[in-house]
Amino acid sequence: MYNQYPYQPNHYYGSYIPSPGYYGENPNTRHQPIKGQATWTEGGPVTQCGIPWSNNTYMTAAVGVNSPYPCGQSLKIRSIALPQREIIVTVVDKVAGYPPNKINLHRKAFEALGADPAVGVINVEIFPSPQLEQEKWGKYLLELTQTAYPNYEITNYNLVSKEQLSSTQTKETYDFILKNTEESIKIRGAVIYNSRTDRVISFDIKEL
């Protein structure tokens, strides 16, 4: 049976104190990041939202039962230890006993932040209403590329094209330059998404 509680190797983390003013949303600060913590889980076959953990290529998360974030909402998560690492996840499940500033990421999302699952918990910034800026999908593909090529550093990326495939489908293509101590390679990533719901339909990453 699926255990919705996250992986926590030891219970020595203590209680996390929410940021002042977090409870009770202030419209003037709702787009500001909230400092919190992230744990990880392998997910399970059933979610309280009815959205599978595999949605959005496993860039998914569970939030507290009393969290203000509804099922299907996008949240931007940034690592405090590695601020250059940030991902956009979809809320797919609920976790009992979690305060609003704690999130339970799928393991692949946790690793995309550059975190070692053995750590169990990391400090993060949570952006409740990420702006759907042009670079959103470039960052989405960047994190997928970084996960696919863990021994390389992404030094640059740029938008190649943006195509409107239909009234609801958009395709964006980006090129990435990756380097390690031995070589430099060029990767092309493409994502097709529903422009009305911001749901990913498909993506492709290939070496040029």
Side-chain angles (χ1 to χ4, degrees), residues 22-23 48 63-70 93-101:
Y22 183 75
Y23 299 103
Q48 291 190 33
V63 296
V65 172
N66 297 318
S67 166
Y69 312 133
D93 206 355
K94 302 285 185 175
V95 178
Y98 262 39
N101 65 333

Side-chain angles (χ1 to χ4, degrees), residues 3-207:
N3 181 1
Q4 66 175 340
Y5 293 98
Y7 171 83
Q8 291 185 330
N10 293 293
H11 297 281
Y12 55 81
Y13 306 116
S15 299
Y16 188 83
I17 301 174
S19 302
Y22 183 75
Y23 299 103
E25 186 177 32
N26 183 331
N28 296 321
T29 60
R30 62 183 301 177
H31 297 294
Q32 297 300 312
I34 291 91
K35 293 185 184 299
Q37 290 183 316
T39 52
W40 66 270
T41 177
E42 291 286 359
V46 179
T47 66
Q48 291 190 33
C49 296
I51 305 172
W53 281 95
S54 58
N55 186 69
N56 199 23
T57 61
Y58 292 96
M59 294 297 110
T60 45
V63 296
V65 172
N66 297 318
S67 166
Y69 312 133
C71 293
Q73 179 171 337
S74 294
L75 301 172
K76 181 161 74 173
I77 311 299
R78 176 184 294 160
S79 168
I80 290 179
L82 298 170
Q84 72 275 20
R85 289 297 190 94
E86 58 182 42
I87 57 175
I88 294 176
V89 298
T90 301
V91 175
V92 300
D93 206 355
K94 302 285 185 175
V95 178
Y98 262 39
N101 65 333
K102 195 169 185 179
I103 191 165
N104 192 24
L105 302 172
H106 188 276
R107 178 179 56 81
K108 291 186 177 181
F110 192 85
E111 291 175 330
L113 287 173
D116 183 351
V119 174
V121 61
I122 59 172
N123 293 323
V124 297
E125 289 182 314
I126 302 171
F127 295 76
S129 301
Q131 296 289 327
L132 300 183
E133 67 274 10
Q134 180 182 10
E135 66 181 38
K136 169 184 175 178
W137 296 105
K139 289 181 178 179
Y140 170 80
L141 288 169
L142 183 149
E143 294 300 341
L144 294 176
T145 301
Q146 187 69 76
T147 301
Y149 293 86
N151 297 321
Y152 288 79
E153 178 183 357
I154 298 177
T155 59
N156 191 27
Y157 78 94
N158 65 281
L159 176 67
V160 175
S161 64
K162 183 175 182 178
E163 305 171 62
Q164 195 70 35
L165 303 180
S166 70
S167 61
T168 59
Q169 292 187 14
T170 301
K171 179 180 180 180
E172 293 188 20
T173 303
Y174 290 80
D175 280 349
F176 301 87
I177 303 300
L178 282 68
K179 293 182 179 181
N180 64 11
T181 55
E182 299 177 353
E183 62 177 344
S184 175
I185 60 176
K186 189 175 185 178
I187 303 296
R188 176 157 292 179
V191 58
I192 298 174
Y193 59 92
N194 186 312
S195 51
R196 293 180 181 175
T197 64
D198 272 342
R199 295 285 178 85
V200 174
I201 297 171
S202 65
F203 73 92
D204 178 65
I205 296 173
K206 61 182 179 181
E207 188 171 338

